[in-house]
Amino acid sequence: MKFYFLYLIFLLIGISCISNCQNPSSDVSATYIEQAQAILRDSVIQLADRYLGEPIVTVTAHTCARSAGGVHDFYSEGDYWWPDTTNPDSPFVRRDGMSYPDAFFSHRESLMRLSEIVGSLTSAYLLTEDTNYAARALAHCEAWFMTDSTHMNPHFLYAQAIKGRHTGRGIGIIDGIHFVDVFQSLHVLERRGLIPAKDLVAYKQWVDDFLNWHMNHPYGKAEMIHPNNHSMYFNLQVAMYAVFSENDRVLQFCRENFTERLLPVQMAANGSFPLELERTKPYEYSLFNLDGAAINCQILSDTSHNFWIFESADGKSMRKALDYMQPFVDDKTQWPLPPDVMYWEAWPIGHPAYLLGALAFEKEDYFQTWNQHAHFSQSFEVRRTRTIKNPLIWIMNESN
């Protein structure tokens, strides 16, 4: 009988934890959401008002003669690949962590811009319920995914090409992190009944085609098992597409992949990510992968699944990852490794891992870690690697 009552106590504790982590209407979480709205509101609305007048730009606005694709195909070039100074006509050579300034980034910049515009406009709609913001966000999405003359083809065949080596690579899929805020925005606007039925069918078909390409093309299969942050971000992208296109089979794959492979394999016992620490920019990449793990938890969790409290058999967990990096986010001077070779001064920012973690674990110190740093940045490197640029579309969406 004693063991029976102990079992009931532990069961109730577990249920309470799940309820607290997944219920954004709890008093503590609701307070954090209100505080985040107050912190971001003026900046978001100012940006959104500016974006109301911004022209629509898709992949068709810029072309590159080096691309093996057509006008509707996304194209980018590897960040860390440079001309061989000893032989300018030879294939490019790698310089890890050093971004080549003359690489073709126009499509990536257009995609980053789409993410910022759509996410900001959708956030402003949530704050004000002014449907003009939502309508303009949808106009950008229509051009990217539906309009015959301006749409993007649903694949990344030509992403992160390298002159003289590859017309595209599987690791180019990581350029798609900027679609995550876009489809979260569409998810929000869908649930509020603001997307016409025929348009919604078209959006879901585009995403379904995009998802199938990711899951079945050799580039996607290679990225799926990449040992470092690439597989973490492949998983969260595919999970977002699966949520929006209502593909339960792929979503279940992503859940199993996160708990069986990504978190247990990529994380060390102390909560660090060893393969990110080996990079020439270990601080930035550690935070990048931390954000990726947190966004995975956010996308994959629902009323029946809570990945925030998942713990592997050997004790690895999201809580441990947040706790490992938190002292170095609060005070970067405590970082035990040499400074990153580039962009050291750009970090940290208001990392979404700590805002989402504050809601999941109801921890005030996580919220303060998020709040003490800048929430908006003009740094290209920050914009390039920041998946969630508009956290309000994640924390104000009751369906998430």
Side-chain angles (χ1 to χ4, degrees):
M1 183 65 70
K2 180 189 299 183
F3 292 111
Y4 175 74
F5 283 116
L6 285 173
Y7 170 77
L8 285 178
I9 291 170
F10 285 124
L11 180 62
L12 289 171
I13 291 172
I15 291 172
S16 174
C17 183
I18 291 174
S19 175
N20 287 339
C21 289
Q22 285 303 111
N23 180 12
S25 64
S26 68
D27 290 342
V28 176
S29 294
T31 299
Y32 292 151
I33 292 173
E34 290 174 1
Q35 290 176 359
Q37 290 179 54
I39 291 163
L40 300 175
R41 182 185 180 92
D42 289 347
S43 296
V44 165
I45 292 177
Q46 183 179 16
L47 283 171
D49 286 343
R50 191 185 87 200
Y51 290 148
L52 283 172
E54 286 286 309
I56 295 173
V57 178
T58 77
V59 293
T60 60
H62 304 280
T63 58
C64 179
R66 294 187 293 275
S67 174
V71 68
H72 294 284
D73 295 319
F74 182 96
Y75 176 72
S76 65
E77 295 179 326
D79 293 86
Y80 305 145
W81 293 85
W82 292 64
D84 185 346
T85 55
T86 63
N87 185 359
D89 294 327
S90 65
F92 277 20
V93 294
R94 180 174 170 80
R95 298 183 186 177
D96 186 37
M98 306 293 290
S99 296
Y100 177 49
D102 294 328
F104 181 84
F105 291 145
S106 295
H107 287 178
R108 187 191 293 168
E109 289 173 347
S110 296
L111 179 52
M112 286 161 31
R113 179 178 179 272
L114 173 73
S115 176
E116 292 163 351
I117 289 175
V118 171
S120 295
L121 289 168
T122 304
S123 297
Y125 162 72
L126 290 174
L127 290 167
T128 66
E129 297 189 357
D130 183 342
T131 56
N132 289 316
Y133 293 122
R136 190 57 181 166
L138 290 172
H140 283 267
C141 293
E142 180 178 346
W144 270 82
F145 307 121
M146 291 194 292
T147 304
D148 287 343
S149 59
T150 59
H151 75 275
M152 172 184 154
N153 287 332
H155 61 70
F156 274 129
L157 278 171
Y158 309 109
Q160 295 212 16
I162 303 173
K163 180 184 175 182
R165 296 180 184 273
H166 305 286
T167 58
R169 295 179 294 161
I171 66 169
I173 288 172
I174 206 166
D175 286 355
I177 63 174
H178 305 291
F179 274 131
V180 174
D181 263 4
V182 175
F183 288 109
Q184 176 67 3
S185 295
L186 285 173
H187 186 51
V188 169
L189 298 176
E190 174 192 1
R191 293 198 60 89
R192 282 155 180 78
L194 295 176
I195 304 178
K198 64 179 180 59
D199 292 352
L200 190 59
V201 170
Y203 288 135
K204 288 183 183 287
Q205 184 60 61
W206 192 96
V207 174
D208 191 54
D209 292 342
F210 199 42
L211 178 59
N212 286 334
W213 182 86
H214 278 74
M215 296 300 294
N216 296 304
H217 191 276
Y219 285 176
K221 291 180 178 180
E223 193 75 341
M224 188 187 299
I225 60 173
H226 199 287
N228 68 7
N229 63 78
H230 280 266
S231 55
M232 184 73 76
Y233 276 87
F234 176 90
N235 203 71
L236 75 85
Q237 289 177 76
V238 166
M240 184 72 251
Y241 307 148
V243 167
F244 184 71
S245 63
E246 302 174 274
N247 191 319
D248 292 337
R249 179 184 59 81
V250 172
L251 192 57
Q252 181 59 28
F253 162 80
C254 292
R255 286 174 170 144
E256 293 173 359
N257 192 41
F258 183 76
T259 58
E260 295 175 10
R261 288 173 286 277
L262 295 178
L263 204 68
V265 173
Q266 292 195 19
M267 185 182 293
N270 66 353
S272 68
F273 296 106
L275 291 182
E276 310 307 329
L277 293 174
E278 294 175 2
R279 304 294 296 271
T280 59
K281 296 189 292 188
Y283 186 76
E284 176 182 341
Y285 275 108
S286 291
L287 288 168
F288 182 58
N289 211 39
L290 177 68
D291 281 342
I295 299 168
N296 265 287
C297 290
Q298 188 73 10
I299 295 172
L300 297 173
S301 296
D302 59 20
T303 55
S304 301
H305 306 86
N306 186 354
F307 289 86
W308 289 99
I309 62 171
F310 165 77
E311 185 173 307
S312 67
D314 54 354
K316 298 168 185 175
S317 67
M318 194 66 225
R319 180 72 174 266
K320 188 167 285 187
L322 288 165
D323 289 345
Y324 172 80
M325 282 302 296
Q326 188 179 19
F328 313 126
V329 179
D330 289 340
D331 182 2
K332 189 169 65 173
T333 64
Q334 300 303 309
W335 182 242
L337 299 178
D340 294 358
V341 295
M342 288 184 76
Y343 308 113
W344 173 247
E345 298 303 324
W347 308 100
I349 57 172
H351 287 279
Y354 287 99
L355 175 59
L356 299 176
L359 294 174
F361 297 110
E362 299 190 337
K363 276 180 61 68
E364 173 70 19
D365 59 317
Y366 285 174
F367 187 86
Q368 295 306 324
T369 295
W370 168 76
N371 187 35
Q372 68 178 299
H373 299 294
H375 302 298
F376 301 91
S377 175
Q378 295 304 310
S379 164
F380 177 81
E381 180 69 3
V382 172
R383 295 172 61 233
R384 179 181 80 89
T385 57
R386 193 174 193 177
T387 303
I388 290 183
K389 305 171 186 66
N390 291 277
L392 295 184
I393 61 177
W394 296 87
I395 66 175
M396 292 179 67
N397 180 27
E398 75 277 359
S399 66
N400 188 60

